[in-house]
Amino acid sequence: FGRMKPVIVVHGGAGRIFKEREEGSRAGVVRAALQGYGILKQGGSALDAVEEAVRSMEDDPHFNAGCGSVLNEKGEVEMDAIIMDGKNLDSGAVSAVKCIANPIKLARLVMEKTKHMLLTDYGAHLFAQAMGIPETPGEKLITKRSRERWRKNLEPDSNPEEFQKDLGTVGAVAIDSEGNVACATSTGGLSNKLIGRVGDTACIGMRCGVMPLIFWRYLIKTKVSHAIMKVVLARLILYHMEQGMSPEMAADTALDYMKTRVGGLGGVIVVNSSGEWAARFSTKQMSWATVKDDQLHYGIYPGERHTKSVDEALASESEGF
């Protein structure tokens, strides 16, 4: 079979991205894709690459994951994350976790060090302690912007729905030189959500779904994440690709179905076994980036696609995007 050409696709959330945050969102997904691709290029695994890409976005306050996560009704950060390995269908997830900088690392440990697939809240906290993950004071994860939005949503005439439009998850999907696939995703959830709320991120088959060595796709947040749960979006896209559709066509068909059937808007990143990729969305915007054949592609608006060589991108990265 020979060696595969590695591919990574990442996204920073679908919805509406405010003008003043566009540049930071573009730079953030580009940085994440380049870091993940760096691992693949050295012969590293798809699993390591997606974990690294998501960690990069958790550490970037432009995204609703890790530092920069939105706040729950009590003004605290509660995060969900999941990682999946296409080689053996293993997965690990955490939900409603607090006081750690990188939930995606904890999700990977759940997959590799326990017999479980999902740990939540206090149990996840105890497991993180047992694994020696340093505690990050909750305040350190809260940005000024998240705090302001939380306050606005508490006002009697506020409309939290309006503020949800520019939120989402972050995620990455990759195929490595051995032909193995993996995906990872992380989110702070919904602004002013009830304590203990778990969305679709940590649920297998909603945002993540795999068939060993055949297809992999990763679904990002809709304005109403229940829409993804109702149509089991990952499975739907896999079905369309099993019927012979390209990743792009399968993604568009599934997003269209979700829109007409349950009124849900969203976005998808997809990679198939031959390394074809797609980044599609029905929302106004979605920040995304991909690297394949040493070429970086990225965008935010429908139809927007910038292309640079990886060397050129890395050079401008070191000078500051």
Side-chain angles (χ1 to χ4, degrees), residues 62-78:
H62 282 93
F63 303 111
N64 177 21
C67 174
S69 291
V70 297
L71 311 186
N72 67 13
E73 58 179 354
K74 237 174 94 181
E76 299 170 334
V77 165
E78 282 188 324

Side-chain angles (χ1 to χ4, degrees), residues 12-22 24-25 60-72 75 77 139-154 160-168 170 188-192 285:
R16 186 183 68 195
I17 297 163
F18 292 115
K19 241 347 186 204
E20 72 275 10
R21 299 178 69 76
E22 272 182 23
S25 296
D60 185 330
H62 282 93
F63 303 111
N64 177 21
C67 174
S69 291
V70 297
L71 311 186
N72 67 13
V77 165
E139 285 299 310
K140 279 222 166 140
L141 299 172
I142 298 175
T143 59
K144 190 170 163 235
R145 180 169 183 262
S146 297
R147 178 71 73 200
E148 280 168 8
R149 159 176 294 158
W150 174 73
R151 284 209 185 96
K152 276 212 173 94
N153 284 341
L154 290 178
E161 273 295 295
E162 194 48 38
F163 284 104
Q164 298 302 357
K165 288 180 182 169
D166 73 322
L167 300 178
V170 304
L190 297 176
S191 194
N192 293 59
Q285 289 144 295

